[in-house]
């Protein structure tokens, strides 16, 4: 299936002249939102994700389990923010492409996008499960920062391994048919099916299971339980907001992959009208997926009560330097004495 982004080309010649004005209007709206995201959303995503990573790495002693997962999502968000201009200004944007790339570059960018999406979805799912463990067993070390860091390392490794199987399908769907090993694997729909199941269905079931368990615990809470080292209430609000945002923005992307796979399984050629609708839905879904890299760090910034003070400490330390800050602290201690 050719990649035709922000274009009404597939609708030409269908005989549906009444669909052309609507398609053109949708094309203009989507292009305007894309440019707006390129000008404002990408810098916000890069800036806030970088700040989230720097603040937590600078003050690792005060990091909590949710902070580790949000750092993991922030790193994936940095990759998505860096890839967004490539997709918005690349050859897939047929109406206003500024540059072009070959099939190798296309596959590489697609794999990077898939790895970032897998890290994002599984970090969200594991955050939900660990929040349940921390709420049910607050004095255990099962959901400690140390264990969470190792889990996040496995998430990146698993995302790379999962994307490798998809990489084989994507590569074989772009290279020449003379390669015998690829003659039986020239099917990009198989890669989409793998991504839908592993990248969406599995983490979605894990999140639903974790939220159901957390809701049962919240209903059974007593005032004594709430004072016995329970997590901060803002953590639960941040968890719910993050889960709703991530799955709300990524669900359309995986639904379009599923729709693409189901249409391919029919074995019938897709008419140009339905092809145009599918490509437009795919463009909108990809735009929403990229926007998650800017929305989630903003949620972390405004819901996490500790982040603003930690950010101020980092800025103050960068502004005054180690020596002057230490001298100021010594002077304050002398005055207090």
């Amino acid at each position: 299936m050719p990649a035709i982004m922000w274009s009404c080309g597939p609708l030409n010649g269908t005989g549906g002249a009444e669909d052309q004005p609507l398609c053109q209007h949708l094309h203009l709206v989507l292009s305007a939102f894309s440019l707006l995201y390129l000008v404002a959303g990408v810098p916000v995503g890069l800036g806030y994700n970088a700040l989230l990573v720097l603040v937590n790495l600078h003050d690792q002693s005060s990091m909590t389990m949710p902070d580790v997962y949000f750092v993991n999502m922030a790193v994936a968000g940095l990759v998505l923010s860096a890839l967004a201009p490539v997709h918005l200004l690349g050859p897939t944007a047929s109406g206003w492409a500024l540059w072009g790339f070959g099939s190798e570059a296309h596959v590489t960018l697609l794999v990077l996008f898939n790895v970032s999406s897998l890290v994002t979805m599984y970090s969200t799912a594991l955050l939900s499960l660990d929040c349940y463990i921390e709420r049910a067993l607050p004095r255990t070390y099962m959901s400690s920062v140390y264990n969470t860091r190792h889990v996040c390392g496995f998430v990146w490794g698993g995302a790379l391994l999962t994307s490798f199987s998809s990489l084989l399908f994507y590569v074989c769907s772009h290279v020449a048919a003379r390669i015998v090993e690829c003659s039986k694997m020239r099917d990009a729909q198989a890669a989409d099916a793998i991504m839908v199941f592993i990248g969406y269905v599995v983490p979605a079931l894990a999140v639903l299971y974790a939220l159901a368990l957390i809701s049962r615990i919240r209903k059974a809470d007593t005032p004594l339980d709430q004072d016995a080292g329970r997590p901060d209430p803002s953590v639960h609000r941040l968890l719910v907001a993050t889960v709703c945002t991530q799955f709300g923005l990524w669900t359309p992307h995986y639904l379009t992959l599923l729709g693409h796979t189901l249409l391919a399984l029919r074995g019938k050629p897709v008419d140009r009208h339905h092809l145009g609708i599918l490509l437009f839905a795919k463009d909108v879904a990809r735009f929403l997926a990229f926007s998650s890299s800017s929305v989630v760090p903003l949620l972390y910034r405004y819901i996490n009560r500790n982040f603003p003070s930690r950010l101020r400490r980092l800025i103050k330390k960068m502004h005054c330097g180690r020596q002057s800050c230490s001298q100021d602290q010594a002077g304050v201690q002398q005055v207090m004495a």
Side-chain angles (χ1 to χ4, degrees):
M1 180 181 298
I4 304 174
M5 204 155 183
W6 323 130
S7 176
C8 297
L11 292 179
N12 293 331
T14 59
E18 68 279 359
D19 293 335
Q20 284 296 324
L22 177 61
C23 178
Q24 294 293 339
H25 289 314
L26 293 176
H27 165 74
L28 291 176
V29 171
L30 195 54
S31 299
F33 275 106
S34 300
L35 288 174
L36 179 62
Y37 173 73
L38 185 65
V39 173
V42 171
V44 168
L46 290 173
Y48 272 97
N49 281 311
L51 283 177
L52 197 158
V53 174
L54 288 175
V55 167
N56 283 283
L57 293 183
H58 171 263
D59 192 10
Q60 297 187 31
S61 60
S62 60
M63 285 183 67
T64 60
M65 175 270 297
D67 293 332
V68 180
Y69 283 117
F70 276 98
V71 169
N72 215 38
M73 286 187 277
V75 175
L78 287 172
V79 177
L80 289 174
S81 298
L83 292 178
V86 178
H87 284 272
L88 295 178
L89 301 178
T92 51
S94 59
W96 38 284
L98 299 184
W99 64 284
F101 52 64
S103 60
E104 295 81 4
H106 173 73
V107 172
T108 301
L109 294 173
L110 195 58
V111 169
L112 288 175
F113 178 83
N114 287 339
V115 169
S116 300
S117 67
L118 287 170
V119 170
T120 298
M121 301 303 286
Y122 275 90
S123 295
T124 305
L126 292 171
L127 171 65
S128 305
L129 292 171
D130 274 356
C131 282
Y132 161 71
I133 294 174
E134 190 176 49
R135 192 171 185 87
L137 305 170
R139 294 183 179 86
T140 64
Y141 293 94
M142 295 179 63
S143 59
S144 65
V145 174
Y146 177 80
N147 291 337
T148 305
R149 288 173 180 170
H150 289 281
V151 170
C152 289
F154 284 113
V155 168
W156 281 97
L160 290 172
L161 290 175
T162 303
S163 298
F164 181 76
S165 60
S166 300
L167 174 63
L168 294 178
F169 288 100
Y170 282 120
V171 168
C172 289
S173 65
H174 285 79
V175 299
R178 65 177 180 270
I179 301 179
V180 179
E181 290 79 3
C182 284
S183 61
K184 298 181 179 180
M185 296 183 62
R186 301 191 57 177
D187 189 4
Q189 288 74 33
D192 292 339
I194 291 174
M195 289 300 301
V196 170
F197 180 75
I198 298 179
Y200 183 79
V201 175
V202 174
L205 292 176
V207 166
L208 291 176
Y209 179 67
L211 292 179
L213 293 176
I214 291 175
S215 64
R216 290 178 58 185
I217 291 180
R218 287 174 63 86
K219 292 179 180 179
D221 275 347
T222 64
L224 180 61
D225 293 331
Q226 296 175 358
D227 295 334
R230 293 290 183 180
D232 192 287
S234 64
V235 174
H236 180 74
R237 294 195 299 271
L238 182 60
L239 169 64
V240 174
T242 302
V243 168
C244 294
T245 301
Q246 295 284 32
F247 278 86
L249 294 176
W250 280 97
T251 296
H253 168 67
Y254 287 102
L255 288 179
T256 56
L257 292 182
L258 180 62
H260 183 199
T261 303
L262 294 178
L263 287 177
L265 290 177
R266 292 173 52 191
K268 300 179 181 179
V270 182
D271 60 85
R272 296 177 66 87
H273 178 75
H274 290 92
L275 176 62
I277 295 176
L278 179 61
L279 289 176
F280 180 79
K282 186 177 181 180
D283 298 339
V284 175
R286 185 65 63 89
F287 168 76
L288 293 175
F290 277 123
S291 65
S292 67
S293 62
S294 302
V295 176
V296 172
L298 290 177
L299 290 176
Y300 182 86
R301 160 65 178 84
Y302 289 104
I303 298 181
N304 190 321
R305 298 188 302 182
N306 298 324
F307 181 77
S309 60
R310 296 170 65 190
L311 178 59
R312 286 193 295 268
R313 287 199 301 268
L314 175 62
I315 295 175
K316 182 179 179 181
K317 188 170 183 178
M318 294 175 60
H319 181 264
C320 63
R322 289 180 176 271
Q323 185 175 359
S324 58
C325 286
S326 60
Q327 290 177 355
D328 293 342
Q329 292 177 358
V332 171
Q333 292 177 355
Q334 291 178 0
V335 172
M336 292 299 293

